[in-house]
Amino acid sequence: MTPRETIAHYYEYANAGDWSRWCDLFTEKAVVDEQIGGRLEGQDTLRAAVAGFPEIYRSFRNEPRHVVIAGDEAGVVSHISAVASGGEPIEAEVMNYFRLENGRIAYMANFHDTMPFRGPLGLDK
């Protein structure tokens, strides 16, 4: 898979709620620095983290707005529109950095305003 195809599938699978296939895009030893979730190391840890998404979100969309790919690195500016399990809306601008190895994501960093998630996800308690 090319880096462009991997990045396209990242958003396609997330928006479909296909978290198993989404996790398959990462290497076994992938590292994800997630602004809310912290550092996640390894594909199994990532699978466990996203397993709870159906209970956390009634709906979740992460739409890419601008994609830049250079070799095995990519940067994507996107917008999240979600609804938390309690019905609260979440709207957030996002920037993701990706480093790929052999068509799979080896490292990803996620940057966004955490305020839209605080109340709906109980992060303000």
Side-chain angles (χ1 to χ4, degrees), residues 4-97:
R4 187 164 298 281
E5 291 169 329
T6 301
I7 298 305
H9 286 310
Y10 174 94
Y11 293 94
E12 174 190 347
Y13 298 157
N15 290 334
D18 190 345
W19 299 110
S20 180
R21 288 176 69 191
W22 184 85
C23 286
D24 290 342
L25 296 171
F26 292 81
T27 66
E28 294 297 320
K29 295 182 180 181
V31 174
V32 175
D33 284 322
E34 208 290 321
Q35 188 144 354
I36 293 174
R39 178 164 272 214
L40 305 169
E41 296 184 17
Q43 194 183 58
D44 290 340
T45 302
L46 192 57
R47 284 187 194 286
V50 297
F53 274 23
E55 289 80 39
I56 295 171
Y57 298 105
R58 285 187 187 174
S59 68
F60 181 90
R61 300 282 306 168
N62 189 354
E63 297 294 339
R65 293 196 170 156
H66 188 70
V67 178
V68 176
I69 297 176
D72 283 335
E73 294 180 291
V76 179
V77 174
S78 63
H79 180 83
I80 291 176
S81 289
V83 177
S85 61
E88 305 89 347
I90 298 170
E91 299 291 332
E93 302 301 324
V94 183
M95 173 64 202
N96 286 338
Y97 166 77

Coordinates of all heavy atoms in Angstrom, one line a residue, residues 4-97:
R4 N -0.1 7.3 0.5 CA -1.4 8.0 0.2 C -2.6 7.1 0.4 O -3.6 7.5 1.0 CB -1.4 8.5 -1.2 CG -2.6 9.4 -1.5 CD -2.5 10.2 -2.8 NE -1.4 11.2 -2.7 CZ -1.4 12.4 -2.1 NH1 -2.5 12.7 -1.4 NH2 -0.4 13.2 -2.1
E5 N -2.5 5.8 0.0 CA -3.6 4.8 0.2 C -3.8 4.6 1.7 O -4.9 4.5 2.2 CB -3.3 3.5 -0.5 CG -3.3 3.6 -2.0 CD -2.8 2.4 -2.7 OE1 -1.8 1.8 -2.2 OE2 -3.3 2.1 -3.8
T6 N -2.7 4.4 2.5 CA -2.8 4.2 3.9 C -3.5 5.3 4.6 O -4.4 5.1 5.4 CB -1.4 4.0 4.5 OG1 -0.7 2.8 3.9 CG2 -1.4 3.7 6.0
I7 N -3.1 6.5 4.3 CA -3.7 7.7 4.9 C -5.2 7.8 4.5 O -6.0 8.1 5.4 CB -2.9 9.0 4.5 CG1 -1.5 9.0 5.0 CG2 -3.7 10.2 5.0 CD1 -1.3 8.7 6.5
A8 N -5.5 7.5 3.3 CA -6.9 7.5 2.9 C -7.7 6.5 3.7 O -8.8 6.8 4.1 CB -7.1 7.3 1.4
H9 N -7.2 5.3 3.8 CA -7.9 4.3 4.6 C -8.0 4.6 6.1 O -9.0 4.3 6.7 CB -7.1 2.9 4.4 CG -7.3 2.3 3.1 ND1 -8.6 2.1 2.5 CD2 -6.4 1.8 2.2 CE1 -8.4 1.5 1.3 NE2 -7.1 1.3 1.1
Y10 N -7.0 5.3 6.6 CA -7.1 5.7 8.0 C -8.4 6.5 8.3 O -9.1 6.2 9.2 CB -5.8 6.6 8.3 CG -5.8 7.2 9.7 CD1 -5.2 6.6 10.8 CD2 -6.5 8.4 10.0 CE1 -5.2 7.2 12.0 CE2 -6.5 9.0 11.2 CZ -5.9 8.4 12.2 OH -5.9 8.9 13.5
Y11 N -8.7 7.4 7.4 CA -9.9 8.2 7.6 C -11.2 7.4 7.2 O -12.2 7.5 7.9 CB -9.8 9.6 6.9 CG -8.7 10.4 7.6 CD1 -7.4 10.4 7.1 CD2 -9.0 11.2 8.7 CE1 -6.4 11.1 7.7 CE2 -8.0 11.9 9.3 CZ -6.7 11.9 8.9 OH -5.7 12.6 9.5
E12 N -11.1 6.7 6.2 CA -12.2 5.9 5.7 C -12.6 4.9 6.8 O -13.8 4.8 7.1 CB -11.8 5.1 4.4 CG -12.8 4.1 3.9 CD -12.3 3.2 2.8 OE1 -11.2 3.5 2.3 OE2 -13.0 2.2 2.6
Y13 N -11.7 4.2 7.3 CA -12.1 3.2 8.4 C -12.6 3.8 9.7 O -13.5 3.3 10.3 CB -10.9 2.2 8.7 CG -10.4 1.4 7.5 CD1 -9.1 0.9 7.5 CD2 -11.2 1.1 6.4 CE1 -8.6 0.2 6.4 CE2 -10.8 0.4 5.3 CZ -9.5 -0.1 5.3 OH -9.0 -0.8 4.3
A14 N -11.9 4.9 10.1 CA -12.4 5.6 11.3 C -13.8 6.1 11.1 O -14.7 5.9 12.0 CB -11.5 6.8 11.6
N15 N -14.1 6.7 9.9 CA -15.4 7.2 9.7 C -16.5 6.1 9.5 O -17.7 6.4 9.8 CB -15.4 8.1 8.5 CG -14.7 9.4 8.8 OD1 -14.6 9.8 9.9 ND2 -14.1 10.0 7.7
A16 N -16.1 4.9 9.2 CA -17.0 3.8 9.1 C -17.1 3.1 10.4 O -17.9 2.1 10.5 CB -16.5 2.8 8.0
G17 N -16.3 3.5 11.4 CA -16.3 2.8 12.7 C -15.7 1.4 12.6 O -15.9 0.5 13.4
D18 N -14.9 1.2 11.6 CA -14.2 -0.1 11.4 C -12.9 -0.1 12.1 O -11.8 0.0 11.4 CB -14.1 -0.4 9.9 CG -13.6 -1.8 9.6 OD1 -13.2 -2.5 10.5 OD2 -13.7 -2.2 8.4
W19 N -12.9 -0.2 13.4 CA -11.7 0.0 14.2 C -10.7 -1.1 14.1 O -9.5 -0.9 14.2 CB -12.1 0.3 15.6 CG -12.9 1.5 15.7 CD1 -14.2 1.6 16.0 CD2 -12.5 2.9 15.5 NE1 -14.6 2.9 16.0 CE2 -13.6 3.7 15.6 CE3 -11.3 3.4 15.1 CZ2 -13.5 5.1 15.4 CZ3 -11.2 4.8 14.9 CH2 -12.3 5.6 15.1
S20 N -11.2 -2.3 13.7 CA -10.3 -3.4 13.5 C -9.4 -3.2 12.3 O -8.2 -3.3 12.4 CB -11.1 -4.7 13.4 OG -10.2 -5.8 13.2
R21 N -10.0 -2.8 11.2 CA -9.2 -2.5 10.0 C -8.4 -1.3 10.2 O -7.3 -1.2 9.6 CB -10.1 -2.4 8.8 CG -10.7 -3.8 8.3 CD -11.7 -3.7 7.2 NE -11.0 -3.3 6.0 CZ -11.7 -3.0 4.9 NH1 -13.0 -3.0 4.8 NH2 -11.0 -2.7 3.8
W22 N -8.9 -0.3 10.9 CA -8.1 0.9 11.2 C -6.9 0.5 12.0 O -5.8 1.0 11.6 CB -9.0 1.8 12.0 CG -8.4 3.1 12.4 CD1 -8.5 4.3 11.6 CD2 -7.8 3.5 13.6 NE1 -7.9 5.3 12.3 CE2 -7.4 4.9 13.5 CE3 -7.5 2.8 14.8 CZ2 -6.8 5.5 14.5 CZ3 -6.8 3.5 15.8 CH2 -6.5 4.8 15.7
C23 N -6.9 -0.3 13.0 CA -5.8 -0.8 13.7 C -4.8 -1.6 12.8 O -3.6 -1.5 13.1 CB -6.2 -1.6 14.9 SG -6.9 -0.6 16.3
D24 N -5.3 -2.3 11.9 CA -4.5 -3.1 11.0 C -3.5 -2.2 10.2 O -2.5 -2.6 9.6 CB -5.3 -3.9 10.0 CG -6.0 -5.1 10.7 OD1 -5.6 -5.5 11.8 OD2 -6.9 -5.6 10.1
L25 N -3.8 -0.9 10.0 CA -3.0 0.1 9.3 C -1.7 0.4 10.0 O -0.8 0.9 9.5 CB -3.7 1.4 9.0 CG -5.0 1.2 8.1 CD1 -5.8 2.6 8.1 CD2 -4.6 0.8 6.7
F26 N -1.6 0.0 11.3 CA -0.5 0.4 12.2 C 0.5 -0.9 12.2 O 0.0 -2.0 12.2 CB -0.9 0.7 13.6 CG -1.7 2.0 13.6 CD1 -3.0 2.1 13.3 CD2 -1.0 3.2 14.0 CE1 -3.7 3.3 13.4 CE2 -1.7 4.4 14.1 CZ -3.0 4.5 13.7
T27 N 1.8 -0.6 12.4 CA 2.7 -1.7 12.6 C 2.5 -2.3 14.0 O 1.8 -1.7 14.9 CB 4.2 -1.2 12.5 OG1 4.4 -0.3 13.6 CG2 4.5 -0.5 11.2
E28 N 3.0 -3.5 14.2 CA 2.9 -4.1 15.5 C 3.4 -3.3 16.7 O 2.9 -3.3 17.8 CB 3.6 -5.5 15.5 CG 2.9 -6.5 14.6 CD 1.5 -6.9 14.9 OE1 1.2 -7.0 16.2 OE2 0.7 -7.0 14.0
K29 N 4.5 -2.6 16.4 CA 5.2 -1.8 17.4 C 4.9 -0.3 17.3 O 5.7 0.6 17.8 CB 6.7 -2.0 17.4 CG 7.0 -3.4 17.8 CD 8.5 -3.7 17.8 CE 8.8 -5.1 18.2 NZ 10.2 -5.4 18.2
A30 N 3.8 0.1 16.7 CA 3.5 1.5 16.4 C 3.4 2.3 17.7 O 3.1 1.7 18.8 CB 2.1 1.6 15.7
V31 N 3.8 3.5 17.6 CA 3.7 4.5 18.7 C 2.7 5.6 18.3 O 2.9 6.2 17.2 CB 5.0 5.0 19.1 CG1 4.9 6.1 20.2 CG2 6.0 3.9 19.6
V32 N 1.7 5.9 19.2 CA 0.8 7.0 18.9 C 0.8 7.9 20.1 O 0.6 7.5 21.2 CB -0.6 6.4 18.7 CG1 -1.6 7.6 18.5 CG2 -0.7 5.5 17.5
D33 N 1.1 9.2 19.8 CA 1.1 10.2 20.8 C -0.3 10.9 20.6 O -0.4 11.7 19.7 CB 2.2 11.2 20.7 CG 3.5 10.6 21.3 OD1 3.4 9.9 22.3 OD2 4.6 10.8 20.7
E34 N -1.3 10.6 21.4 CA -2.6 11.1 21.3 C -2.8 12.2 22.3 O -2.6 11.9 23.5 CB -3.6 10.0 21.4 CG -4.9 10.1 20.7 CD -5.8 11.2 21.3 OE1 -5.9 11.4 22.5 OE2 -6.4 11.9 20.5
Q35 N -3.3 13.3 21.9 CA -3.4 14.4 22.8 C -4.2 14.2 24.1 O -3.9 14.6 25.2 CB -4.0 15.7 22.1 CG -3.9 16.9 22.9 CD -3.6 18.1 22.1 OE1 -3.4 18.0 20.9 NE2 -3.7 19.2 22.7
I36 N -5.3 13.4 24.0 CA -6.1 13.1 25.1 C -5.7 11.8 25.8 O -5.6 11.7 27.0 CB -7.6 13.0 24.8 CG1 -8.1 14.4 24.4 CG2 -8.4 12.5 25.9 CD1 -9.5 14.5 23.9
G37 N -5.5 10.8 24.9 CA -5.1 9.4 25.4 C -3.7 9.2 25.9 O -3.4 8.2 26.5
G38 N -2.8 10.1 25.6 CA -1.4 10.0 25.9 C -0.7 9.1 25.0 O -1.1 8.9 23.8
R39 N 0.4 8.5 25.4 CA 1.2 7.7 24.5 C 0.7 6.3 24.5 O 0.6 5.7 25.6 CB 2.7 7.7 24.9 CG 3.6 6.8 24.1 CD 5.0 7.1 24.2 NE 5.3 8.1 23.3 CZ 6.5 8.2 22.6 NH1 7.4 7.4 22.9 NH2 6.7 9.2 21.8
L40 N 0.4 5.7 23.4 CA 0.0 4.4 23.2 C 1.1 3.6 22.4 O 1.5 4.0 21.3 CB -1.3 4.3 22.4 CG -2.5 5.2 23.0 CD1 -3.6 5.3 22.1 CD2 -2.9 4.6 24.3
E41 N 1.6 2.5 23.0 CA 2.7 1.8 22.4 C 2.2 0.4 22.0 O 1.8 -0.4 22.9 CB 3.9 1.8 23.3 CG 4.4 3.1 23.5 CD 5.7 3.1 24.3 OE1 6.4 2.1 24.5 OE2 6.1 4.2 24.9
G42 N 2.3 0.1 20.7 CA 1.9 -1.3 20.2 C 0.5 -1.4 19.7 O -0.4 -0.7 20.2
Q43 N 0.4 -2.2 18.7 CA -0.9 -2.3 18.0 C -2.0 -2.9 19.0 O -3.1 -2.5 18.9 CB -0.8 -3.3 16.8 CG -1.9 -3.2 15.9 CD -1.8 -4.2 14.7 OE1 -1.6 -5.4 15.0 NE2 -1.8 -3.7 13.5
D44 N -1.6 -3.8 19.9 CA -2.6 -4.4 20.8 C -3.1 -3.3 21.8 O -4.3 -3.3 22.1 CB -2.0 -5.5 21.6 CG -1.7 -6.8 20.8 OD1 -2.4 -6.9 19.7 OD2 -0.9 -7.6 21.2
T45 N -2.2 -2.4 22.2 CA -2.7 -1.3 23.1 C -3.6 -0.4 22.4 O -4.6 0.1 22.9 CB -1.4 -0.5 23.6 OG1 -0.6 -1.4 24.3 CG2 -1.8 0.6 24.5
L46 N -3.3 -0.1 21.1 CA -4.2 0.7 20.3 C -5.6 0.1 20.1 O -6.6 0.7 20.2 CB -3.5 1.0 18.9 CG -4.1 2.0 18.0 CD1 -4.2 3.4 18.8 CD2 -3.3 2.1 16.8
R47 N -5.6 -1.2 19.9 CA -6.9 -2.0 19.7 C -7.7 -1.8 21.0 O -8.9 -1.6 20.9 CB -6.6 -3.4 19.4 CG -6.2 -3.7 18.0 CD -6.1 -5.2 17.7 NE -5.4 -5.5 16.5 CZ -5.9 -5.2 15.2 NH1 -7.1 -4.8 15.1 NH2 -5.2 -5.5 14.2
A48 N -7.1 -2.0 22.1 CA -7.8 -1.9 23.4 C -8.3 -0.5 23.6 O -9.5 -0.3 24.1 CB -6.9 -2.3 24.6
A49 N -7.6 0.5 23.2 CA -8.0 1.9 23.4 C -9.2 2.2 22.5 O -10.2 2.9 23.0 CB -6.9 2.9 23.0
V50 N -9.3 1.8 21.3 CA -10.4 2.1 20.4 C -11.6 1.2 20.5 O -12.7 1.5 20.1 CB -10.0 2.2 18.9 CG1 -8.9 3.3 18.7 CG2 -9.5 0.9 18.4
A51 N -11.4 0.1 21.3 CA -12.5 -0.8 21.5 C -13.7 -0.2 22.2 O -14.8 -0.5 22.0 CB -12.0 -2.1 22.3
G52 N -13.4 0.9 23.0 CA -14.4 1.5 23.7 C -15.1 2.7 23.0 O -16.1 3.3 23.4
F53 N -14.6 3.0 21.8 CA -15.2 4.1 21.0 C -16.7 4.0 20.8 O -17.4 4.9 20.9 CB -14.5 4.3 19.7 CG -13.3 5.1 19.8 CD1 -12.6 5.3 20.9 CD2 -12.8 5.8 18.6 CE1 -11.5 6.1 21.0 CE2 -11.7 6.6 18.7 CZ -11.0 6.8 19.9
P54 N -17.3 2.8 20.5 CA -18.7 2.7 20.3 C -19.5 3.1 21.5 O -20.6 3.6 21.4 CB -19.0 1.2 19.9 CG -17.7 0.8 19.3 CD -16.6 1.5 20.1
E55 N -18.9 2.9 22.7 CA -19.6 3.4 23.9 C -19.4 4.9 24.2 O -20.2 5.5 24.9 CB -19.2 2.5 25.1 CG -19.7 1.1 25.1 CD -18.9 0.2 24.2 OE1 -17.6 0.4 24.1 OE2 -19.5 -0.6 23.5
I56 N -18.3 5.4 23.7 CA -17.9 6.8 24.0 C -18.6 7.7 23.0 O -19.1 8.8 23.4 CB -16.4 7.0 23.9 CG1 -15.7 6.2 25.0 CG2 -16.0 8.5 24.0 CD1 -14.2 6.1 24.8
Y57 N -18.8 7.3 21.8 CA -19.3 8.2 20.7 C -20.6 7.6 20.1 O -20.6 6.4 19.7 CB -18.3 8.4 19.6 CG -17.1 9.1 20.0 CD1 -15.9 8.4 20.2 CD2 -17.1 10.5 20.3 CE1 -14.7 9.1 20.5 CE2 -15.9 11.1 20.7 CZ -14.7 10.4 20.8 OH -13.6 11.0 21.2
R58 N -21.7 8.4 20.0 CA -22.8 8.0 19.3 C -22.5 8.0 17.8 O -23.0 7.2 17.0 CB -24.0 8.9 19.5 CG -24.7 8.7 20.8 CD -25.9 9.6 20.9 NE -26.5 9.5 22.2 CZ -27.5 10.3 22.6 NH1 -28.1 11.1 21.7 NH2 -28.0 10.2 23.8
S59 N -21.7 9.0 17.4 CA -21.3 9.2 16.0 C -19.9 9.8 16.1 O -19.5 10.5 17.0 CB -22.2 10.0 15.2 OG -22.2 11.3 15.6
F60 N -19.1 9.5 15.0 CA -17.7 10.0 14.9 C -17.3 10.2 13.5 O -17.4 9.2 12.7 CB -16.8 9.1 15.7 CG -15.3 9.6 15.7 CD1 -14.9 10.4 16.7 CD2 -14.5 9.2 14.6 CE1 -13.6 10.8 16.7 CE2 -13.2 9.7 14.6 CZ -12.7 10.5 15.6
R61 N -17.0 11.4 13.1 CA -16.5 11.7 11.7 C -15.2 12.5 11.9 O -15.2 13.5 12.6 CB -17.5 12.4 10.9 CG -18.8 11.8 10.7 CD -18.9 10.7 9.7 NE -18.4 11.1 8.4 CZ -18.1 10.2 7.4 NH1 -18.3 9.0 7.6 NH2 -17.7 10.7 6.3
N62 N -14.2 12.1 11.1 CA -12.9 12.8 11.1 C -12.6 13.0 9.6 O -12.2 12.1 8.9 CB -11.8 12.1 11.8 CG -10.5 12.9 11.9 OD1 -10.4 14.0 11.4 ND2 -9.6 12.3 12.6
E63 N -12.9 14.2 9.1 CA -12.9 14.5 7.7 C -11.6 15.3 7.3 O -11.4 16.4 7.8 CB -14.1 15.4 7.2 CG -15.4 14.7 7.4 CD -15.6 13.5 6.5 OE1 -14.9 13.4 5.5 OE2 -16.4 12.6 6.8
P64 N -10.7 14.7 6.5 CA -9.5 15.4 6.1 C -9.8 16.6 5.2 O -10.7 16.6 4.4 CB -8.7 14.4 5.2 CG -9.5 13.1 5.2 CD -10.8 13.4 5.9
R65 N -9.1 17.7 5.5 CA -9.3 18.9 4.7 C -8.1 19.2 3.9 O -8.2 19.8 2.8 CB -9.6 20.1 5.7 CG -10.9 19.9 6.4 CD -11.4 21.2 7.0 NE -12.8 21.1 7.4 CZ -13.3 21.8 8.3 NH1 -12.6 22.7 8.9 NH2 -14.6 21.6 8.6
H66 N -6.9 18.9 4.4 CA -5.7 19.1 3.7 C -4.7 18.0 4.0 O -4.4 17.8 5.2 CB -5.1 20.5 4.1 CG -3.9 20.9 3.3 ND1 -4.0 21.3 1.9 CD2 -2.6 21.0 3.5 CE1 -2.9 21.6 1.5 NE2 -2.0 21.5 2.4
V67 N -4.2 17.4 2.9 CA -3.2 16.2 3.1 C -1.9 16.6 2.4 O -1.9 16.9 1.2 CB -3.9 15.0 2.5 CG1 -2.9 13.8 2.6 CG2 -5.2 14.6 3.1
V68 N -0.8 16.4 3.1 CA 0.5 16.6 2.5 C 1.3 15.3 2.7 O 1.4 14.8 3.9 CB 1.3 17.8 3.1 CG1 2.7 17.9 2.6 CG2 0.5 19.1 2.9
I69 N 1.8 14.7 1.7 CA 2.6 13.5 1.8 C 3.9 13.7 1.1 O 4.0 14.2 0.0 CB 1.8 12.3 1.1 CG1 0.5 12.0 1.9 CG2 2.7 11.0 1.2 CD1 -0.4 11.0 1.3
A70 N 5.0 13.4 1.9 CA 6.4 13.5 1.3 C 7.1 12.2 1.7 O 7.4 12.0 2.9 CB 7.1 14.7 1.9
G71 N 7.3 11.4 0.8 CA 8.0 10.1 1.0 C 7.1 9.3 2.0 O 6.0 9.0 1.7
D72 N 7.7 8.9 3.1 CA 7.0 8.1 4.2 C 6.5 8.9 5.3 O 6.3 8.4 6.4 CB 8.0 7.0 4.7 CG 8.1 5.8 3.7 OD1 7.2 5.6 2.9 OD2 9.1 5.1 3.7
E73 N 6.3 10.2 5.1 CA 5.7 11.1 6.1 C 4.5 11.8 5.6 O 4.4 12.0 4.4 CB 6.7 12.2 6.6 CG 7.9 11.6 7.3 CD 8.9 12.7 7.7 OE1 9.5 13.3 6.8 OE2 9.0 12.9 8.9
A74 N 3.6 12.1 6.4 CA 2.3 12.7 6.0 C 1.8 13.7 7.1 O 2.0 13.4 8.3 CB 1.2 11.7 5.7
G75 N 1.2 14.7 6.7 CA 0.5 15.6 7.7 C -0.9 15.8 7.1 O -1.1 16.0 5.9
V76 N -1.8 15.8 8.0 CA -3.2 15.9 7.6 C -3.9 16.9 8.6 O -3.9 16.7 9.8 CB -4.0 14.6 7.6 CG1 -5.4 14.8 7.2 CG2 -3.3 13.6 6.7
V77 N -4.5 17.9 8.0 CA -5.4 18.8 8.8 C -6.8 18.3 8.5 O -7.2 18.1 7.4 CB -5.3 20.3 8.3 CG1 -6.3 21.2 9.0 CG2 -3.8 20.8 8.5
S78 N -7.6 18.1 9.6 CA -8.9 17.5 9.5 C -9.8 18.2 10.5 O -9.4 19.0 11.3 CB -8.9 16.0 9.7 OG -8.4 15.7 11.0
H79 N -11.1 17.8 10.4 CA -12.1 18.3 11.3 C -12.9 17.1 11.9 O -13.4 16.3 11.1 CB -13.1 19.3 10.6 CG -14.1 19.8 11.6 ND1 -13.8 20.9 12.4 CD2 -15.4 19.4 11.8 CE1 -14.9 21.1 13.1 NE2 -15.9 20.3 12.8
I80 N -13.0 17.1 13.2 CA -13.8 16.0 13.9 C -15.2 16.6 14.2 O -15.3 17.7 14.8 CB -13.2 15.5 15.2 CG1 -11.9 14.7 14.8 CG2 -14.1 14.7 16.0 CD1 -11.1 14.2 16.1
S81 N -16.2 15.9 13.8 CA -17.6 16.2 14.2 C -18.1 14.9 14.8 O -18.2 13.8 14.1 CB -18.5 16.5 13.0 OG -18.2 17.7 12.4
A82 N -18.4 14.9 16.1 CA -18.8 13.7 16.8 C -20.0 14.1 17.7 O -20.2 15.3 18.0 CB -17.6 13.2 17.6
V83 N -20.6 13.0 18.2 CA -21.6 13.2 19.3 C -21.2 12.2 20.4 O -21.1 11.0 20.1 CB -23.0 12.9 18.7 CG1 -24.0 13.0 19.9 CG2 -23.4 13.9 17.6
A84 N -21.0 12.7 21.6 CA -20.7 11.8 22.7 C -21.9 11.0 23.1 O -23.0 11.2 22.7 CB -20.2 12.7 23.9
S85 N -21.6 10.0 23.9 CA -22.7 9.0 24.3 C -23.8 9.7 25.0 O -25.0 9.3 24.9 CB -22.1 7.9 25.2 OG -21.5 8.5 26.3
G86 N -23.5 10.8 25.7 CA -24.6 11.6 26.4 C -25.3 12.6 25.5 O -26.2 13.3 25.9
G87 N -25.0 12.6 24.2 CA -25.7 13.5 23.2 C -25.0 14.8 23.0 O -25.4 15.6 22.2
E88 N -23.9 15.1 23.7 CA -23.2 16.4 23.5 C -22.4 16.4 22.2 O -21.7 15.4 21.9 CB -22.2 16.6 24.7 CG -22.8 16.5 26.1 CD -22.8 15.1 26.7 OE1 -22.5 14.2 25.9 OE2 -23.1 15.0 27.9
P89 N -22.5 17.5 21.5 CA -21.8 17.6 20.2 C -20.3 17.9 20.5 O -20.0 18.6 21.4 CB -22.5 18.7 19.5 CG -23.0 19.6 20.5 CD -23.4 18.6 21.7
I90 N -19.4 17.4 19.6 CA -18.0 17.7 19.6 C -17.6 18.2 18.3 O -17.8 17.5 17.3 CB -17.2 16.5 20.1 CG1 -17.6 16.0 21.5 CG2 -15.7 16.8 20.0 CD1 -17.0 14.7 21.9
E91 N -17.0 19.4 18.2 CA -16.4 19.9 16.9 C -15.0 20.3 17.2 O -14.8 21.1 18.1 CB -17.3 21.1 16.4 CG -18.7 20.8 16.1 CD -18.9 19.9 14.9 OE1 -18.1 19.9 14.0 OE2 -19.9 19.2 14.9
A92 N -14.0 19.8 16.5 CA -12.7 20.1 16.8 C -11.8 20.1 15.5 O -12.0 19.2 14.7 CB -12.1 19.1 17.8
E93 N -10.9 21.1 15.4 CA -9.9 21.1 14.3 C -8.7 20.2 14.8 O -8.4 20.2 16.0 CB -9.4 22.5 14.1 CG -10.5 23.5 13.7 CD -11.3 23.0 12.4 OE1 -10.7 22.5 11.5 OE2 -12.5 23.3 12.4
V94 N -8.2 19.4 13.9 CA -7.1 18.4 14.2 C -6.0 18.5 13.2 O -6.1 18.9 12.0 CB -7.7 17.0 14.1 CG1 -6.7 16.0 14.5 CG2 -9.0 16.9 15.0
M95 N -4.8 18.2 13.7 CA -3.6 18.0 12.9 C -3.0 16.7 13.3 O -2.7 16.5 14.4 CB -2.6 19.2 13.1 CG -1.3 19.0 12.4 SD -1.4 19.0 10.7 CE 0.1 18.2 10.2
N96 N -2.8 15.8 12.3 CA -2.1 14.5 12.5 C -0.8 14.5 11.7 O -0.8 14.9 10.6 CB -3.0 13.4 12.1 CG -4.1 13.1 13.1 OD1 -4.1 13.5 14.2 ND2 -5.2 12.4 12.6
Y97 N 0.2 14.0 12.4 CA 1.5 13.7 11.7 C 1.7 12.2 11.7 O 1.4 11.5 12.7 CB 2.7 14.4 12.5 CG 4.0 13.8 12.0 CD1 4.6 14.2 10.8 CD2 4.7 12.8 12.8 CE1 5.8 13.7 10.4 CE2 5.9 12.3 12.3 CZ 6.4 12.7 11.1 OH 7.6 12.2 10.7

